[in-house]
Amino acid sequence: MEDESIVAMDIKHRAEGLGYRVVGMAASGEEAIKLAREEKPDLILMDIVLKGEMDGIEAAEVIREEMNIPVVYLTAYSDEKTLSRAKLTGPFGYIIKPFEDRELHSAIEVALYKHRMDSKLRESEERYRALLETSPDPIILLDSDSRILFANRNVEELTGLDRKKLRGKKLSILERKGFLSREVLEKILNLMNHEHKTFEIEFVDVRGKKHHFEIHSTTLRQQPRRTSSR
């Protein structure tokens, strides 16, 4: 049976030889979480099989949710069940043991780059959401099935409806609650077939007060993910 402490020390020396600073090693999932909290590393190399009651996958899940530190799994196990569990924790890569130094270096660099890009994307999304939230106008984002993805505070104030509970509901809920007429709802839904269109509608708020809004719409398209095969 291989001595895991010797293997861990070998990986430490190999990582340091590639120019990385290793802040610590942990033998169990509990130790890994404690070390991550104390050191807050840029990246964690996590063996799936660890001593103690918590394996590497369980530890990685805690670290992801609590600290948002990217994790690259080290494993000699590539069975589908193990990989399926690992995928749920949102890892930034896998290294199958045994591996070469170049594989270790590539996996670390790719994971660090992906994490930087993800962080920038989250920051951009947060700024965008803040702009929507602070807008003096009611703003609703819909998917292609006219289900509500997002509604800002202004929508909540006008309707008296909890916007969290509006998520996933069809826009027709506003017509059923009496805020919009059927004719207005159909005009809004027809916007799905137009890139840009503007028109005026009448909206009755939760207090029965009538408002006249100029509707502006635009379509947000997601770029399809590129895939490659060998």
Side-chain angles (χ1 to χ4, degrees):
M1 182 175 182
E2 76 175 343
D3 188 334
E4 293 297 338
S5 63
I6 294 176
V7 173
M9 188 60 70
D10 175 61
I11 294 171
K12 175 179 183 293
H13 291 323
R14 291 167 71 175
E16 289 174 336
L18 291 169
Y20 302 108
R21 185 169 71 91
V22 179
V23 298
M25 297 186 296
S28 68
E30 293 84 357
E31 287 180 23
I33 293 170
K34 182 175 182 292
L35 188 61
R37 286 170 178 159
E38 292 172 351
E39 298 293 341
K40 297 180 174 59
D42 295 322
L43 179 137
I44 293 173
L45 297 176
M46 181 74 76
D47 200 315
I48 286 180
V49 179
L50 295 175
K51 297 177 182 178
E53 296 181 0
M54 180 181 288
D55 68 8
I57 295 175
E58 292 171 297
E61 177 66 15
V62 173
I63 290 168
R64 180 180 70 88
E65 292 183 353
E66 185 179 320
M67 291 163 268
N68 189 33
I69 297 172
V71 170
V72 172
Y73 283 121
L74 299 172
T75 181
Y77 300 90
S78 56
D79 63 280
E80 191 59 37
K81 184 177 179 180
T82 300
L83 291 178
S84 294
R85 280 186 62 219
K87 286 176 185 177
L88 296 176
T89 65
F92 281 75
Y94 300 86
I95 304 177
I96 306 299
K97 296 187 290 185
F99 53 85
E100 302 292 334
D101 285 359
R102 58 185 174 81
E103 294 175 289
L104 178 63
H105 183 256
S106 296
I108 291 174
E109 288 301 312
V110 169
L112 290 172
Y113 175 78
K114 284 173 62 179
H115 188 252
R116 283 196 299 270
M117 293 302 101
D118 283 359
S119 296
K120 288 182 179 180
L121 179 60
R122 279 195 301 273
E123 290 172 7
S124 177
E125 289 175 344
E126 286 170 5
R127 285 195 295 269
Y128 179 62
R129 185 173 292 272
L131 287 173
L132 296 181
E133 286 286 12
T134 57
S135 171
D137 300 314
I139 296 176
I140 294 177
L141 301 182
L142 303 173
D143 66 12
S144 57
D145 293 322
S146 78
R147 294 188 184 279
I148 297 172
L149 299 174
F150 169 84
N152 69 353
R153 289 194 186 97
N154 204 295
V155 173
E156 190 172 68
E157 290 171 3
L158 286 168
T159 63
L161 300 174
D162 186 333
R163 56 208 171 115
K164 291 181 181 178
K165 293 181 180 179
L166 280 176
R167 289 178 197 159
K169 299 284 197 309
K170 291 268 193 175
L171 187 66
S172 56
I173 189 175
L174 298 183
E175 186 256 338
R176 293 199 306 273
K177 295 286 186 180
F179 301 114
L180 301 172
S181 68
R182 184 66 192 177
E183 180 185 2
V184 166
L185 175 65
E186 289 177 356
K187 288 178 70 175
I188 294 174
L189 294 179
N190 283 335
L191 292 175
M192 298 291 186
N193 302 319
H194 301 84
E195 285 294 321
H196 301 280
K197 194 172 182 180
T198 303
F199 57 86
E200 191 174 279
I201 68 164
E202 182 177 271
F203 186 97
V204 181
D205 69 21
V206 68
R207 292 171 291 276
K209 182 180 178 180
K210 292 182 180 180
H211 301 263
H212 289 86
F213 292 121
E214 191 172 65
I215 293 290
H216 296 268
S217 72
T218 189
T219 302
L220 303 176
R221 300 187 187 280
Q222 287 186 321
Q223 292 296 324
R225 292 182 180 274
R226 289 184 179 146
T227 59
S228 61
S229 59
R230 295 182 181 180

